[in-house]
Amino acid sequence: MSQPVQPPNQPQQPYGGQPVEGNPYAGQPGQPAPAAPTGNPYGQQPPAPAGNPFGGQQPGQGAPFGGGAPFTPAPPARNNVLLGVLVALGAALVAGILYGVIAGSIEREVGYAAVGVGFLVGFAASKVGGSNPAVIAASAVFSIGAVYLGQLVGISMVLSDLAQIPFSEVIGDHFDTVTEAWSQEADFMTYLFLGLAAVAAVGGAKKAG
């Protein structure tokens, strides 16, 4: 038995009026059909929330991990005159004692040691206090005092060995004898070493500056 033939040009239902079942894009009767999704999965995302600190930044506007000029640390301060003078005094005391121990051990003075004392004092002072003229002048004066102190220490060590008495007793109880012995033994080389120390202090300060 043959089936009835459908009449030609039968009117079709519009896209929005198709049955809902089986068509995920079909709209309800009387409502426009929703737009089909495009290939961009992020096209319809909402804007970034207001609390996002990086949502509205533009390139080069002070981003925390890039852009903008790098931070330049401030240079260390090296113009503290008072601290530089104090460093020169401390270095002179230490270097003078070491110079005296060397001179007393070998029972003679060494010109290179006097130059080393002055250079050390001037270099250390200028490293802290900068190239201030007051720091350089203090370094030269303290270097002369350091070499003079070393000469006294050296003479005290020699007298201690000759008199067979402790070094501390020579310095504490017979210091006038030590200075008198220095005056008697002082010659051209003694004063030359004092001058070399001052010149080396100026050179050390300029080297550090």
Side-chain angles (χ1 to χ4, degrees):
M1 184 174 181
S2 61
Q3 296 179 353
V5 180
Q6 296 290 338
N9 299 329
Q10 183 178 2
Q12 298 181 356
Q13 294 181 353
Y15 182 78
Q18 290 182 354
V20 178
E21 296 180 358
N23 187 359
Y25 305 108
Q28 299 295 330
Q31 295 182 356
T38 62
N40 183 7
Y42 306 103
Q44 300 296 327
Q45 285 188 351
N52 186 2
F54 309 105
Q57 285 186 347
Q58 298 295 329
Q61 292 185 354
F65 303 106
F71 174 73
T72 303
R78 292 184 53 216
N79 55 356
N80 193 330
V81 178
L82 179 59
L83 185 58
V85 172
L86 292 178
V87 170
L89 178 59
L93 291 175
V94 175
I97 294 175
L98 293 177
Y99 176 75
V101 171
I102 295 174
S105 300
I106 63 177
E107 297 185 359
R108 69 181 61 183
E109 293 187 75
V110 182
Y112 291 110
V115 171
V117 168
F119 185 87
L120 176 62
V121 173
F123 187 86
S126 185
K127 268 295 184 182
V128 177
S131 301
N132 192 288
V135 175
I136 298 177
S139 301
V141 173
F142 290 153
S143 297
I144 295 175
V147 174
Y148 175 70
L149 174 63
Q151 293 172 350
L152 295 181
V153 171
I155 294 174
S156 299
M157 292 180 62
V158 173
L159 293 179
S160 176
D161 291 339
L162 293 177
Q164 297 297 317
I165 58 178
F167 173 80
S168 59
E169 184 177 344
V170 175
I171 291 292
D173 300 337
H174 305 284
F175 187 75
D176 55 343
T177 305
V178 174
T179 55
E180 183 179 355
W182 182 89
S183 300
Q184 293 176 357
E185 296 293 333
D187 56 4
F188 173 77
M189 296 301 296
T190 301
Y191 295 105
L192 177 62
F193 292 155
L194 297 176
L196 289 176
V199 174
V202 176
K206 292 183 178 180
K207 183 70 174 179

